Amino acid sequence: MYNKKVVTRMAPSPTGEFHIGGMRTLLYNWALARHFGGKFLLRIEDTDRTRFVEGATERILSVVRDYGFDWDEGPEVGGPHAPYVQSERLPLYKKYAEELIAADKAYYCFCTAERLEEMREAQKKQGIAQTKYDGHCAHLPETEVQTLLSNNTPHVVRLRVAKGKEITWEDGVLGKVSFVSDEIDDQILLKSDGYPTYHLGVVVDDHEMEVTTVMRGNEWLPSTPKHILLYEAFGWEMPLFAHLPNLKEIGGTKKLSKRHGPVAAVGFLEDGYLPEALVNYLMFLGWNPGTEKEIFSLDEFVKDFTLEKVHKADLVAFDRQKLDWFNAQYIKAKTDTELTQLLFKYAPKGADIALLSKITPLVKERMKKLSEFTDIASFFFSEPSADKTLFSENAHEHLVEAKSVIQEMKLFSTTSIGEVLQKLVGDKKFQARDFFMDMRIAVTGKKISPPLNESMEILGKDVVLARLAHAQK
C-alpha cells in the first residue's frame, strides 16, 4: 500500500471551533505519518468566506497543540510548500482552472443566481430530488464567451464531467468503491469571487504539497469521485483515499449534539478532561488494536496504528461515560503535586495552594473530570448550607454529643477524630450509620463527600465546631 514516503494532512476550516471528530481524524493522520516516518501537514482551508470566523484559525492551532500534536509543515511552522492558508494561494487556483479550460476539461459558466434557482425549481417539479446543473453554458460559442469575459460578466468555472463513466478506487479503509459519473454534477471549481471551491482547492493543494494519503471522515465519500475526475483531468498521480467512520451519540444514529455535552475539542478541555485521556479515547473511535489493552500512550498508538485496523463502518458511538472512565484513570495516575496544579483553576479565586495540596489526595479517586472539583470540594472553602431534611431524627443529639467530645480533644488528627467518634458511638449506643451521616451533612453539607475524618482534620477543630453548632440550630 505504501511504496513512498507517507505524507498526510489535516485541513480544518476557520468557520468555528475545531470539532472533536476533526481531532480524531487529525490523530489518525498524525499517527500514520509518524508510524511510517513520514510527514504530517496542517493547512487552513479558508475559502468559504461567508462562514469565516475571525480568530478561528488561531484557536484551531492552539487547541491542536493543547491536545499534544505538532506538525511538520504548516502555519507558524512554514515549509517548502508555503503558504499553508488557501486565501494566500488564490493565483495558483486560477492558474490551474485556466489550464483545465484550455484543455476543454472545464468551462466558464455565466448563469445568474436567479436562473440557477429557476432551474432547480423546475427539476424539483419534475420529481428530481438531487438537482444538478443543466449544462446551459457547457457549449457556448467561443466568441460569446470572450465577449462576456471582456464585459466583466460575473462567472464561475465548472468541471466538464463526462457521462456514463464508472469511477472506481481502492479505498484504504473501505476497499473497492465505485460511483457512476451520471450522478456527478458539473461542479464549480472557481467561484465568481476568485476563491476556489473545496473540490479544486483540496486537489490542487494535496498535489502541490505532495500528500500521499487523504484520510477523512466518510461524509466526504461522495466528493471523492469528483476529486478523482480532477486528478485525471490534470494527469496527476492520485493519493490513497481512506474514509473513516463518523461519530454519533451512543444509542443514536445522528452526529454528536451539544445537548449531550461538548462537541468542540476545546469544550472538552474546558469541561475538565485531560488532553492525554481525550487522545487515548479518540484512538478507539474507529480503530481497534485487536487486544484487550485500553490505555495507550501516543508512542504506543503510533507503533500499532495502521489503516488495516480501522473499522469499515459508517458510524461509531461516542460513549461519554467511557470517556469519563478514561479520564478518571488518567486523573488517578497523576501525582498529587501534578493534580494540585491542575485543580488550581477550579478552586475559588485566591485559594491557598497549601490547602489545595491537602485536599487533592482526598478527591483524587472521586473525580471523573477536573471540573467536578468545584462541587466536590466546595465545603473546604465556604460554609455549606445543608438541607435539614437530610438529617436523621436523632441528629440534634448526635451533633450535641459530637460537639462536646470534639471540644475536649487536644490532638485534632484523622486518627484521633476516628477514635473519639467511634468511642462516642459505642458509649451512647448510637446507630453508627445515622451518626456519621449526620456528621457528614453538618460538616460538608452533603450525604456524599470526601473521607470525613480527613476532611475534618483539614478544616480544623474550630471550623468543625462552628459547623456542628450551626447545624444544631
Side-chain angles (χ1 to χ4, degrees):
M1 188 182 289
Y2 302 103
N3 56 7
K4 59 169 73 174
K5 186 172 183 178
V6 172
V7 180
T8 65
R9 52 77 172 166
M10 189 68 191
S13 299
T15 54
E17 300 296 347
F18 194 39
H19 195 275
I20 193 67
M23 194 64 77
R24 187 283 312 265
T25 302
L26 185 148
L27 163 66
Y28 284 15
N29 277 283
W30 185 91
L32 190 72
R34 297 289 177 262
H35 179 90
F36 287 102
K39 277 186 175 185
F40 172 68
L41 279 63
L42 192 67
R43 70 169 182 258
I44 301 298
E45 296 188 344
D46 62 343
T47 57
D48 187 347
R49 306 311 289 178
T50 59
R51 297 173 60 219
F52 176 79
V53 175
E54 197 68 44
T57 296
E58 292 73 20
R59 291 199 298 276
I60 289 169
L61 301 181
S62 176
V63 77
V64 169
R65 285 198 174 104
D66 287 343
Y67 271 66
F69 300 113
D70 56 1
W71 50 95
D72 301 301
E73 294 183 34
E76 299 180 357
V77 172
H81 304 100
Y84 295 91
V85 178
Q86 284 190 332
S87 59
E88 299 172 15
R89 299 168 62 83
L90 299 186
L92 191 66
Y93 310 124
K94 185 174 187 292
K95 175 177 85 81
Y96 280 120
E98 288 173 347
E99 282 186 16
L100 291 177
I101 291 170
D104 201 30
K105 302 291 180 62
Y107 59 90
Y108 293 108
C109 174
F110 302 91
C111 291
T112 63
E114 291 76 20
R115 184 194 176 274
L116 293 174
E117 183 58 32
E118 289 172 4
M119 177 202 75
R120 283 189 285 268
E121 288 303 318
Q123 290 181 7
K124 287 177 184 176
K125 287 177 181 176
Q126 296 169 25
I128 300 172
Q130 190 171 348
T131 62
K132 294 193 302 181
Y133 182 62
D134 59 5
H136 178 74
C137 293
H139 302 287
L140 291 178
E142 182 61 22
T143 53
E144 184 177 348
V145 170
Q146 291 305 319
T147 299
L148 289 166
L149 289 175
S150 63
N151 290 334
N152 294 319
T153 306
H155 61 274
V156 299
V157 175
R158 290 183 183 270
L159 182 67
R160 198 181 294 280
V161 178
K163 304 307 175 190
K165 177 181 173 68
E166 186 177 23
I167 304 161
T168 303
W169 75 94
E170 192 68 27
D171 194 272
V173 171
L174 303 175
K176 185 177 179 180
V177 182
S178 293
F179 279 77
V180 178
S181 65
D182 291 21
E183 302 169 357
I184 299 169
D185 204 354
D186 280 11
Q187 67 212 15
I188 296 175
L189 302 178
L190 201 65
K191 295 180 282 189
S192 58
D193 60 3
Y195 280 82
T197 59
Y198 169 74
H199 306 298
L200 179 64
V202 74
V203 169
V204 167
D205 287 345
D206 283 344
H207 170 73
E208 288 279 327
M209 296 177 185
E210 303 176 83
V211 171
T212 63
T213 308
V214 172
M215 199 185 326
R216 55 194 178 192
N218 60 21
E219 74 271 23
W220 294 109
L221 196 63
S223 295
T224 304
K226 300 177 182 181
H227 300 167
I228 290 173
L229 289 174
L230 272 169
Y231 276 101
E232 291 177 347
F234 284 119
W236 294 339
E237 182 181 358
M238 284 195 302
L240 171 69
F241 291 102
H243 291 87
L244 308 173
N246 287 322
L247 309 186
K248 69 179 182 73
E249 293 291 348
I250 192 165
T253 58
K254 295 185 177 180
K255 63 182 182 179
L256 299 189
S257 168
K258 292 179 182 178
R259 290 184 293 109
H260 300 282
V263 295
V266 70
F268 286 89
L269 298 179
E270 292 169 346
D271 203 28
Y273 290 97
L274 296 169
E276 55 268 43
L278 285 159
V279 169
N280 195 161
Y281 178 60
L282 292 176
M283 294 172 189
F284 287 88
L285 296 183
W287 171 86
N288 192 295
T291 67
E292 297 299 313
K293 180 177 169 67
E294 291 188 287
I295 303 299
F296 276 80
S297 69
L298 260 179
D299 286 343
E300 290 172 321
F301 181 63
V302 165
K303 184 177 179 181
D304 281 10
F305 182 75
T306 61
L307 289 179
E308 288 77 12
K309 293 180 180 179
V310 175
H311 301 323
K312 296 176 175 62
D314 289 335
L315 297 165
V316 293
F318 191 93
D319 186 341
R320 294 176 188 268
Q321 288 188 337
K322 187 65 175 180
L323 173 58
D324 287 347
W325 178 85
F326 270 102
N327 207 51
Q329 306 313 304
Y330 277 86
I331 288 174
K332 291 172 188 174
K334 293 287 184 187
T335 67
D336 290 349
T337 301
E338 289 171 335
L339 190 55
T340 297
Q341 293 297 326
L342 292 170
L343 292 175
F344 195 72
K345 68 178 285 191
Y346 298 98
K349 190 174 182 180
D352 181 56
I353 194 74
L355 173 60
L356 271 178
S357 66
K358 293 177 183 176
I359 298 170
T360 296
L362 303 190
V363 300
K364 192 174 187 177
E365 300 289 325
R366 295 171 176 268
M367 290 188 300
K368 298 187 293 291
K369 300 184 290 186
L370 298 179
S371 56
E372 293 174 343
F373 176 79
T374 304
D375 181 59
I376 292 172
S378 61
F379 70 91
F380 284 109
F381 304 100
S382 60
E383 184 169 338
S385 177
D387 182 349
K388 64 182 181 181
T389 63
L390 297 177
F391 290 102
S392 74
E393 60 182 357
N394 298 315
H396 189 272
E397 183 182 3
H398 292 160
L399 300 180
V400 168
E401 294 296 338
K403 186 166 175 282
S404 176
V405 295
I406 289 174
Q407 188 82 55
E408 299 303 316
M409 291 178 67
K410 298 288 188 260
L411 177 64
F412 197 70
S413 68
T414 297
T415 303
S416 60
I417 291 168
E419 292 171 350
V420 167
L421 295 183
Q422 287 289 356
K423 184 176 184 302
L424 174 63
V425 168
D427 290 347
K428 296 292 183 180
K429 296 189 170 42
F430 289 150
Q431 286 288 331
R433 179 178 175 181
D434 287 347
F435 172 81
F436 285 108
M437 182 57 73
D438 288 336
M439 287 292 294
R440 187 179 299 278
I441 295 166
V443 172
T444 72
K446 302 172 185 181
K447 297 182 78 170
I448 300 173
S449 74
L452 180 60
N453 295 344
E454 288 86 342
S455 297
M456 287 197 286
E457 179 183 346
I458 292 171
L459 288 167
K461 179 177 173 180
D462 291 344
V463 170
V464 170
L465 287 171
R467 292 190 180 181
L468 293 178
H470 179 76
Q472 268 180 250
K473 297 176 183 179

